[in-house]
C-alpha cells in the first residue's frame, strides 16, 4: 500500500515538473517574441522564470484534499506558488489560505475555518492532508492525517493539539542538512502556525522553550506578513532584531528560502548606533558577563534601575520639572525705542501662551519653535518700524522740498541730508534691535540630548549618594563613559526630543528575554506592532534581561495590547537530551516551565568522570571522532567561559588543526567543529555537543549557572557527551555516568 502511494505521488510529481517546464517555456517565449517595450512586464516575466526554476528543485512538500458539494479537490503546497497563465495555481504557497489549511487541519471531524482577512472566512471540509518528503525530485516518504480518525501518533492528552508525523521526525533526524536551521516551512506545527499567522496589527509575546522553533517562527512570521499584507507592507517596513551578529549570520541561509533576504537585520545596539552615532563604542552585556564569570566584580551603581520602566517614568518626571524650570526662566523680549523714547515688549505671558499652543510636538521642536515665534515678532517689529520711518522720511521730504526749484543744488543738498539721516536711523534701529535679539537668543534655555541626560544622571547619582564627583566631569568625558544600560534611556530621550517617528510597521525580536523592559519599550515606540520571541529560562544577563513576561505585559503594553502565547514542545533535541535539560531545571528548584520533547528517541546521554585531567583532551578527541563516524557534522565543544575555552582550544589544536575557537558574538561559525563559551551559543543548534567539565565548581546551583548549563545542553540535536572533574554539578544529580579511571598532576587550566 505504502509503495503504491509513493509510486502514485511520483507520477504526480513528474507530471507537475513537466507542467512547470511548460509554464517556464511559455514565459520565455513571451519574452522572446514580445514586440512591446514594456519594461515592467519583461522584469515580471524574468522574475517568474527565476522563481519557478528555483522552485522546481523541490516544488512542494504537502498535499491537502477537500470535499465540497460532492466534488473532491486536491491542492499541492510548496515554498512558492506556481501559476499557469500567472493566475491559475498548480502549486500553492505555504503563506496562502490553502497553506493555512494544511497547518490548521490536524485530524478530527475535518471542518476547518480559514480567516482570509478583511472579514472573509471560508469553511473547508478536509478529507486528509499528506506530508511529503521529496529529495532530488524523488518521493521518499509520506505521512497522512485523515478526517474522523483519532491519530495514535499524538504524544499525550496534554498535547493532543500536536501531531508529530513521520516526515517531521525524518527531517529532524537528518544529519546531512546544509543549514543548521531545518527546512522550517515543512516542519511547521499547528501551535507554531497559530503564532506565525497572527494579524499584522497584533503584538505578541511568545514564551518558547529551548528547541521550540522560535527562530523559525520569527523568520516565517515576517515572510507570512509580507505576503498576506503585500498591498500595504514593504520590506523596509519590517525589522528583525537578533541577539548578536553571529546569530544574524547564522540565519542567512534561511532568508532566501523564505524570500525575506531584503529585510533589515540588526542587533539592539546596531539599531541604537544608527539613531545615535555617539553610542558606537558602548560595550554589550555579553562582554561584561565574561568578566563576571572569571570573578571580576560588576559595577552596580544604579545600573539595574536604568533598565526598568520605573526609570523611564522617572525621566518623564524629570522632564516635567525641566519644563517648569524652562518656563520659569523664560523672559519677555524688551527693546528700548530711542525715537519714541519707550520700551517695546513681547511679554513673558505671550511667549508662554505660544509655547502651550504648540501642544505635544517633540520637545526640541517645541523649544525652537517658541524661540522662532519671538524671532518672528522681532522681525515684524523691525519691519513695522522701518515702514514707520519710511513714511516719516517721505513726509519730511514732501514738506521740506516744497518750493525748492527742481534740479537745484539746494534741493539736492536737502534731500541728501534728510536721506542720510533716515539711513542712519534705519541702521541704528537694525543694529540695536539685532543686538537685543542676539542677547535674548543667547540666553534662551538650551536643550540637547547628552547635556539633558547628564542633568538627569547627576540628580539620580546625588539621590543614590554615589555621584558627588559626577557633576564635575565635563560633558565630553560623560559621553565617553556611556554603558549598555544608558542606551535605552538615551534612545527614549532622543524620541522625546526629536519625535516619536514610527520607523517600522512591525519588529520581530528573537531572544527577546535578553532585552530589558526599557529596551523593549523603546522598540515598541519605533513600530506599530511587534513580535517578541524568547525563553525566560535562557535569560543569562543577570539583572539586565527578563525573568517574567508579565513585567512586559503590564508595564510596556499596559496589559490589554498584547497576546502571550506559549510553546512548551521542543522539536530540536532527542528525548534523552531534553530529559537531562528538565533534570537541570528540577534540581535548580527555580520556577521555570517544563519542556515536553517531541518524542524522538536518540542516543543515551554520555556522562564520564575524568580523574586524570590529561585524559580529558584524549577523550574529547575520541568523542569528536566517534560523533563524526556516526554521521554528525556540526559539533560544538561548549565550555563555561571564554578563558577556559581559549585554554582548551590551545591544548586541542595540536591534534585537531581544523578546530575553530569562537570568542565573540560578532564572529561567524566557519568550521564544523568549534570551541565556544556557553553564553555565545544561545539561539544556535548543533548536531552534537561536548561539555568538557560540568563539575560543581563550574556549575553550582546559582541561577546563572543553571541557565548556562541548561543553554549548553539544549544546543544539542542528536548527541550529548558530558565530562566532569572531581564532583559532578548538583544540577545533574540523578543522571547516569560512567566510572572513572586514574589520577595525574599538571596544568589543567582547560578544566
Amino acid at each position: 500500500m505504502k509503495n503504491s502511494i509513493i509510486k502514485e505521488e511520483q507520477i504526480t510529481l513528474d507530471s507537475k515538473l513537466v507542467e512547470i517546464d511548460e509554464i517556464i517555456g511559455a514565459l520565455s517565449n513571451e519574452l522572446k517574441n514580445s514586440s512591446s517595450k514594456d519594461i515592467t512586464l519583461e522584469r515580471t516575466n524574468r522574475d517568474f522564470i527565476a522563481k519557478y526554476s528555483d522552485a522546481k528543485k523541490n516544488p512542494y512538500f504537502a498535499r491537502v484534499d477537500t470535499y465540497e458539494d460532492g466534488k473532491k479537490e486536491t491542492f499541492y503546497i510548496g515554498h512558492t506558488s506556481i501559476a499557469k497563465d500567472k493566475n491559475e495555481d498548480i502549486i500553492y504557497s505555504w503563506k496562502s489560505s490553502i497553506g493555512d489549511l494544511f497547518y490548521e487541519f490536524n485530524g478530527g471531524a475535518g471542518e476547518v475555518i480559514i480567516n482570509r482577512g478583511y472579514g472573509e472566512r471560508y469553511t473547508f471540509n478536509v478529507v486528509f492532508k499528506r506530508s511529503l518528503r521529496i529529495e532530488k525530485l524523488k518521493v521518499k516518504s509520506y505521512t497522512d492525517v485523515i478526517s474522523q480518525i483519532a491519530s495514535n501518533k499524538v504524544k499525550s492528552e496534554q498535547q493532543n493539539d500536536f501531531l508529530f508525523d513521520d516526515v517531521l521526525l525524518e527531517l529532524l533526524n537528518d544529519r546531512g542538512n546544509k543549514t543548521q536551521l531545518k527546512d522550517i516551512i515543512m516542519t511547521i506545527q499547528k501551535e507554531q502556525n497559530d503564532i506565525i499567522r497572527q494579524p499584522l496589527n497584533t503584538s505578541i509575546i511568545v514564551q518558547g522553550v529551548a528547541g521550540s522553533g522560535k527562530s523559525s517562527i520569527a523568520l516565517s512570521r515576517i515572510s507570512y506578513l509580507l505576503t498576506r499584507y503585500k498591498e500595504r507592507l514593504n520590506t523596509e517596513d519590517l525589522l528583525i532584531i537578533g541577539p548578536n551578529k553571529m546569530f544574524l549570520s547564522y540565519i542567512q541561509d534561511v532568508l532566501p528560502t523564505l524570500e525575506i533576504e531584503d529585510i533589515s537585520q540588526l542587533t539592539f545596539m546596531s539599531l541604537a548606533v544608527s539613531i545615535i552615532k555617539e553610542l558606537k563604542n558602548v560595550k554589550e552585556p555579553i562582554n561584561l558577563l565574561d568578566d563576571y564569570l572569571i570573578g571580576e566584580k560588576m559595577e552596580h551603581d544604579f545600573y539595574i534601575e536604568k533598565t526598568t520602566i520605573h526609570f523611564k517614568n522617572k525621566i518623564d518626571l524629570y522632564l516635567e520639572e525641566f519644563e517648569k524650570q524652562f518656563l520659569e526662566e523664560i523672559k519677555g523680549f524688551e527693546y528700548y525705542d530711542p525715537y519714541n523714547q519707550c520700551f517695546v515688549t513681547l511679554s513673558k505671558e505671550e511667549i508662554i501662551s505660544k509655547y502651550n499652543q504648540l501642544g505635544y510636538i517633540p520637545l526640541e521642536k517645541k523649544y525652537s519653535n517658541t524661540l522662532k515665534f519671538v524671532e518672528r515678532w522681532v522681525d515684524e517689529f523691525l519691519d513695522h518700524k522701518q515702514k514707520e520711518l519710511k513714511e516719516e522720511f517721505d513726509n519730511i521730504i514732501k514738506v521740506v522740498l516744497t518750493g525748492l526749484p527742481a534740479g537745484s543744488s539746494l534741493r539736492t543738498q536737502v534731500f541728501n541730508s534728510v536721506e542720510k539721516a533716515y539711513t542712519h536711523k534705519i541702521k541704528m534701529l537694525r543694529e540695536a534691535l539685532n543686538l537685543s535679539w542676539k542677547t535674548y537668543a543667547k540666553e534662551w534655555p538650551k536643550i540637547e540630548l547628552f547635556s539633558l541626560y547628564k542633568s538627569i544622571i547627576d540628580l539620580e547619582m546625588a539621590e543614590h549618594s554615589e555621584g558627588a564627583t559626577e557633576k564635575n566631569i565635563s560633558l565630553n568625558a560623560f559621553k565617553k563613559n556611556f554603558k549598555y544600560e544608558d542606551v535605552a534611556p538615551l534612545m527614549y530621550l532622543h524620541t522625546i526630543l526629536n519625535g516619536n517617528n514610527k520607523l517600522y510597521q512591525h519588529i520581530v525580536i528573537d531572544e527577546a528575554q535578553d532585552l530589558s523592559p526599557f529596551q523593549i519599550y523603546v522598540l515598541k515606540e519605533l513600530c506599530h506592532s511587534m513580535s517578541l520571541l524568547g525563553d525566560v529560562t535562557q535569560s543569562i544577563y543577570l539583572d539586565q534581561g527578563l525573568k517574567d513576561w508579565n513585567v512586559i505585559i503590564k508595564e510596556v503594553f499596559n496589559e490589554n495590547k498584547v497576546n502571550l502565547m506559549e510553546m512548551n514542545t521542543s522539536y530540536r533535541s532527542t528525548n534523552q537530551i531534553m530529559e537531562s535539560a528538565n533534570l537541570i531545571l528540577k534540581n535548580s528548584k527555580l520556577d521555570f516551565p517544563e519542556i515536553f520533547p517531541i518524542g524522538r528517541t536518540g542516543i543515551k546521554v554520555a556522562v564520564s568522570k575524568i580523574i586524570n585531567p590529561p585524559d580529558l583532551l584524549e577523550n574529547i578527541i575520541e568523542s569528536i571522532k566517534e560523533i563524526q563516524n556516526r554521521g554528525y557534522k556540526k559539533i560544538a565543544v561548549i565550555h563555561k567561559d571564554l578563558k577556559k575555552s581559549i585554554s582548551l582550544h590551545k591544548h586541542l589544536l595540536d591534534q585537531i588543526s581544523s578546530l575553530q575557537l569562537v570568542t565573540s558574538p560578532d564572529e561567524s561559525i566557519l568550521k564544523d567543529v568549534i570551541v565556544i563559551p556557553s553564553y555565545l551559543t544561545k539561539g544556535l543548534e548543533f548536531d552534537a555537543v561536548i561539555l568538557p567539565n560540568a563539575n560543581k565548581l563550574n556549575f553550582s546551583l546559582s541561577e546563572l549557572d543553571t541557565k548556562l548549563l541548561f543553554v549548553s545542553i539544549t544546543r544539542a540535536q542528536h548527541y550529548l557527551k558530558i565530562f566532569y572533574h572531581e564532583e559532578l554539578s548538583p544540577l545533574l544529580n540523578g543522571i547516569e555516568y560512567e566510572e572513572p579511571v586514574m589520577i595525574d598532576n599538571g596544568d589543567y587550566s582547560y578544566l
Side-chain angles (χ1 to χ4, degrees), residues 130 234 295 342 386 400 444 449 462 496 498 565 615 627 655:
R130 175 171 292 163
N234 297 311
C342 65
Q386 287 182 147
V400 172
W444 186 260
L449 175 62
I496 296 294
N498 298 285
M565 310 176 82
D615 288 347
I627 291 166
Q655 298 187 57

Side-chain angles (χ1 to χ4, degrees), residues 94 137 209 582:
W94 71 275
L137 304 181
V209 297
N582 277 327

